[in-house]
């Protein structure tokens, strides 16, 4: 059976979608297909007009051309749009991200792995993300000597 939405429900969906809630979450909550959420939004008249879309696209292109290593998420935050939209623009103009990062394989003892898991759980993130964030902070802040405290032993 097809779910019929009231005009109030459609207005609420459009308002929440514009505020940043995902179409998947809204579709699941209202029992409709996620693609229909976008249709409701477009029909509501709350969608961006062509001039605004063009200016966002131009801003995305400028940000990508200035620094090709920027993530889509970073560009989306700077420009004020969604990450998938940045990805689509990036693909359409043929600017591909220069990935300068390297993957590391790190073996931890069972005890340390559990400590990482607990710390990641408290922060609501994946263990790999926590480890990457810690390593990134150590490298960015030049904290190698402070963390390892082995300079005197090597000298």
């Amino acid at each position: 059976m097809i779910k019929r939405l009231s005009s109030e429900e459609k207005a609420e969906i459009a308002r929440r979608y514009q505020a940043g809630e995902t179409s998947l979450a809204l579709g699941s909550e209202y029992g409709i297909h996620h693609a229909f959420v976008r249709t409701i939004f477009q029909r509501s008249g709350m969608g961006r007009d062509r001039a605004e879309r063009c200016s966002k696209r131009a801003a995305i292109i400028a940000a990508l051309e200035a620094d090709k290593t920027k993530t889509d998420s970073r560009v989306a935050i700077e420009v004020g749009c969604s990450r998938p939209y940045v990805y689509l623009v990036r693909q359409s103009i043929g600017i591909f991200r220069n990935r300068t990062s390297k993957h590391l394989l790190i073996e931890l003892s069972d005890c340390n792995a559990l400590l990482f898991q607990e710390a990641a759980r408290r922060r609501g993130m994946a263990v790999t993300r926590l480890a990457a964030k810690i390593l990134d902070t150590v490298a960015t802040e030049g904290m190698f000597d402070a963390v390892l405290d082995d300079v005197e032993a090597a000298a």
Side-chain angles (χ1 to χ4, degrees):
M1 180 167 180
I2 297 175
K3 169 133 171 130
R4 301 291 299 183
L5 298 172
S6 68
S7 57
E8 292 82 17
E9 287 175 312
K10 289 178 181 178
E12 178 68 9
I13 289 170
R15 185 194 62 72
R16 289 172 59 187
Y17 184 76
Q18 185 176 37
E21 290 189 49
T22 67
S23 60
L24 286 173
L26 289 168
S28 177
E29 181 179 334
Y30 284 90
I32 59 175
H33 193 274
H34 66 91
F36 189 52
V37 171
R38 178 72 181 155
T39 302
I40 291 170
F41 178 69
Q42 289 171 330
R43 289 178 183 169
S44 73
M46 296 171 73
R48 295 186 181 108
D49 63 6
R50 182 168 171 70
E52 184 178 349
R53 283 195 313 272
C54 290
S55 66
K56 291 277 187 196
R57 182 178 170 82
I60 291 168
I61 292 170
L64 292 173
E65 287 178 342
D67 183 359
K68 291 181 176 70
T69 63
K70 277 187 183 174
T71 64
D72 293 347
S73 296
R74 170 61 47 208
V75 173
I77 291 168
E78 289 176 6
V79 173
C81 63
S82 69
R83 185 194 53 74
Y85 184 60
V86 173
Y87 175 80
L88 289 174
V89 171
R90 180 190 295 276
Q91 297 301 317
S92 71
I93 61 174
I95 294 181
F96 300 98
R97 208 167 122 217
N98 295 332
R99 296 183 184 260
T100 57
S101 63
K102 301 290 181 201
H103 294 278
L104 299 174
L105 176 61
I106 301 171
E107 291 187 35
L108 298 173
S109 68
D110 290 342
C111 181
N112 286 339
L114 289 173
L115 292 171
F116 262 86
Q117 288 172 350
E118 177 59 25
R121 186 192 59 73
R122 284 194 315 267
R123 288 168 176 76
M125 61 175 51
V127 173
T128 53
R129 179 72 183 121
L130 174 64
K133 192 170 186 172
I134 290 170
L135 291 172
D136 188 49
T137 300
V138 168
T140 303
E141 300 295 327
M143 299 172 58
F144 296 103
D145 294 335
V147 171
L148 295 176
D149 197 28
D150 63 352
V151 175
E152 292 178 337

